[in-house]
Coordinates of all heavy atoms in Angstrom, one line a residue:
W1 N -1.0 6.4 7.7 CA -2.4 5.9 7.6 C -3.3 7.2 7.1 O -4.5 7.0 7.2 CB -2.9 5.4 8.8 CG -2.3 4.1 9.3 CD1 -1.5 3.3 8.5 CD2 -2.4 3.6 10.7 NE1 -1.1 2.2 9.4 CE2 -1.5 2.4 10.6 CE3 -2.9 4.0 11.9 CZ2 -1.4 1.6 11.7 CZ3 -2.7 3.2 12.9 CH2 -2.0 2.0 13.0
W2 N -2.7 8.3 6.8 CA -3.5 9.6 6.7 C -4.6 9.4 5.7 O -5.7 10.0 5.8 CB -2.6 10.8 6.5 CG -1.9 10.9 5.1 CD1 -0.8 10.3 4.7 CD2 -2.6 11.5 4.1 NE1 -0.5 10.7 3.4 CE2 -1.7 11.4 2.9 CE3 -3.8 12.3 3.8 CZ2 -1.8 12.0 1.7 CZ3 -4.0 12.9 2.6 CH2 -3.1 12.7 1.6
R3 N -4.3 8.7 4.6 CA -5.4 8.7 3.5 C -6.4 7.9 4.0 O -7.6 8.2 3.8 CB -4.6 8.1 2.2 CG -3.6 8.9 1.6 CD -3.0 8.2 0.4 NE -1.9 9.0 -0.3 CZ -0.7 8.9 0.1 NH1 -0.4 8.2 1.1 NH2 0.3 9.8 -0.6
V4 N -6.2 6.8 4.5 CA -7.3 5.9 5.0 C -8.1 6.6 6.2 O -9.3 6.5 6.3 CB -6.7 4.5 5.6 CG1 -7.8 3.7 6.1 CG2 -6.0 3.8 4.4
M5 N -7.5 7.3 7.0 CA -8.1 7.9 8.0 C -8.9 9.2 7.6 O -10.0 9.4 8.2 CB -7.1 8.6 9.0 CG -6.3 7.5 9.9 SD -7.5 6.5 10.9 CE -8.1 7.8 11.9
V6 N -8.5 9.9 6.5 CA -9.4 10.9 6.1 C -10.6 10.4 5.4 O -11.7 10.9 5.7 CB -8.5 11.7 5.0 CG1 -9.4 12.7 4.2 CG2 -7.4 12.5 5.6
V7 N -10.5 9.2 4.7 CA -11.7 8.7 4.1 C -12.6 8.1 5.2 O -13.8 8.3 5.1 CB -11.2 7.4 3.2 CG1 -12.6 6.8 2.7 CG2 -10.6 8.0 1.9
A8 N -11.9 7.5 6.3 CA -12.8 7.0 7.4 C -13.5 8.1 8.2 O -14.6 8.0 8.6 CB -11.9 6.1 8.3
I9 N -12.9 9.2 8.3 CA -13.4 10.4 9.0 C -14.6 11.0 8.2 O -15.6 11.3 8.8 CB -12.4 11.5 9.4 CG1 -11.4 10.9 10.3 CG2 -13.0 12.8 9.8 CD1 -10.3 11.9 10.6
A10 N -14.5 11.0 6.9 CA -15.5 11.5 6.1 C -16.8 10.5 6.1 O -17.9 11.0 6.2 CB -15.0 11.6 4.7
V11 N -16.5 9.2 6.0 CA -17.6 8.2 6.2 C -18.2 8.3 7.5 O -19.4 8.3 7.6 CB -17.0 6.7 5.9 CG1 -18.2 5.8 6.2 CG2 -16.5 6.7 4.5
F12 N -17.4 8.5 8.6 CA -18.1 8.6 9.9 C -18.8 9.8 10.1 O -20.0 9.8 10.6 CB -16.9 8.6 10.9 CG -17.3 9.0 12.3 CD1 -18.0 8.1 13.2 CD2 -17.1 10.2 12.8 CE1 -18.4 8.5 14.4 CE2 -17.5 10.6 14.1 CZ -18.1 9.7 14.8
S13 N -18.4 10.9 9.5 CA -19.2 12.2 9.6 C -20.5 12.0 8.9 O -21.5 12.6 9.3 CB -18.3 13.3 9.0 OG -17.1 13.5 9.7
A14 N -20.5 11.3 7.6 CA -21.7 11.2 7.0 C -22.7 10.3 7.8 O -23.9 10.6 7.6 CB -21.5 10.5 5.6
M15 N -22.3 9.3 8.4 CA -23.1 8.4 9.1 C -23.5 8.9 10.5 O -24.6 8.6 10.9 CB -22.4 7.0 9.4 CG -22.1 6.3 8.1 SD -21.2 4.7 8.3 CE -22.4 3.9 9.3
A16 N -22.7 9.8 11.1 CA -23.0 10.2 12.5 C -23.9 11.4 12.6 O -24.6 11.6 13.5 CB -21.7 10.4 13.2
T17 N -23.8 12.3 11.6 CA -24.5 13.5 11.7 C -26.1 13.2 11.4 O -26.4 12.5 10.4 CB -24.0 14.5 10.7 OG1 -24.0 13.9 9.3 CG2 -22.7 15.1 11.0
P18 N -27.0 13.6 12.3 CA -28.4 13.3 12.1 C -29.0 14.0 11.0 O -30.0 13.5 10.5 CB -29.0 13.7 13.4 CG -28.0 14.6 14.0 CD -26.7 14.3 13.6
T19 N -28.5 15.2 10.7 CA -29.1 16.0 9.7 C -28.8 15.5 8.3 O -29.6 15.6 7.3 CB -28.8 17.5 9.8 OG1 -27.4 17.6 9.7 CG2 -29.2 18.1 11.1
G20 N -27.6 15.1 8.1 CA -27.3 14.4 6.8 C -26.9 15.5 5.8 O -26.6 15.1 4.6
D21 N -26.8 16.8 6.0 CA -26.5 17.8 5.0 C -25.0 17.9 4.9 O -24.3 17.6 5.9 CB -27.2 19.2 5.4 CG -26.7 19.6 6.8 OD1 -27.0 19.0 7.7 OD2 -25.9 20.6 6.8
P22 N -24.5 18.3 3.8 CA -23.1 18.4 3.6 C -22.4 19.5 4.4 O -21.3 19.3 4.8 CB -22.9 18.8 2.0 CG -24.2 18.4 1.4 CD -25.2 18.5 2.5
L23 N -23.1 20.5 4.8 CA -22.6 21.6 5.7 C -22.2 21.0 7.0 O -21.1 21.2 7.6 CB -23.6 22.8 5.8 CG -23.1 23.8 6.8 CD1 -21.8 24.4 6.2 CD2 -24.1 24.8 7.0
T24 N -23.1 20.2 7.7 CA -22.9 19.6 8.9 C -21.8 18.5 8.8 O -20.8 18.5 9.8 CB -24.1 19.0 9.6 OG1 -25.2 20.1 9.6 CG2 -23.9 18.6 11.0
M25 N -21.8 17.8 7.9 CA -20.8 16.8 7.6 C -19.4 17.3 7.5 O -18.4 17.0 8.1 CB -21.1 15.9 6.4 CG -22.3 15.0 6.5 SD -22.9 14.5 4.9 CE -21.4 13.8 4.2
G26 N -19.2 18.5 6.7 CA -18.0 19.1 6.6 C -17.6 19.8 7.9 O -16.3 19.8 8.2
A27 N -18.5 20.3 8.6 CA -18.1 21.0 9.9 C -17.6 20.0 10.9 O -16.8 20.4 11.9 CB -19.4 21.8 10.4
L28 N -18.0 18.7 10.8 CA -17.5 17.8 11.7 C -16.3 17.1 11.2 O -15.3 16.9 12.0 CB -18.6 16.6 11.8 CG -18.2 15.4 12.7 CD1 -17.8 15.9 14.1 CD2 -19.3 14.4 12.8
A29 N -16.2 16.9 9.9 CA -15.0 16.2 9.3 C -13.7 16.9 9.3 O -12.6 16.5 9.7 CB -15.3 15.7 7.9
L30 N -13.8 18.3 8.9 CA -12.6 19.2 8.9 C -11.9 19.3 10.1 O -10.7 19.2 10.2 CB -13.0 20.5 8.3 CG -11.9 21.5 8.1 CD1 -10.9 20.9 7.0 CD2 -12.4 22.8 7.5
P31 N -12.6 19.7 11.2 CA -11.8 19.8 12.5 C -11.2 18.4 12.9 O -10.1 18.5 13.5 CB -12.9 20.3 13.5 CG -14.0 20.9 12.7 CD -14.0 19.9 11.5
I32 N -11.8 17.3 12.7 CA -11.2 16.1 13.1 C -10.0 15.8 12.3 O -9.0 15.1 12.8 CB -12.3 14.9 13.0 CG1 -13.6 15.2 13.9 CG2 -11.8 13.6 13.4 CD1 -14.7 14.1 13.7

């Protein structure tokens, strides 16, 4: 499932971060 999970984590990071900037999204998605 790793491909689906990577996409799902990226979408979740974009929706969950309140600031919406790419830096915060990447800082959340990469560790997950």
Side-chain angles (χ1 to χ4, degrees):
W1 298 343
W2 74 269
R3 295 179 180 85
V4 177
M5 289 300 299
V6 169
V7 175
I9 290 172
V11 174
F12 168 78
S13 302
M15 298 177 60
T17 51
T19 57
D21 60 291
L23 178 62
T24 308
M25 293 164 50
L28 176 60
L30 181 59
I32 298 178

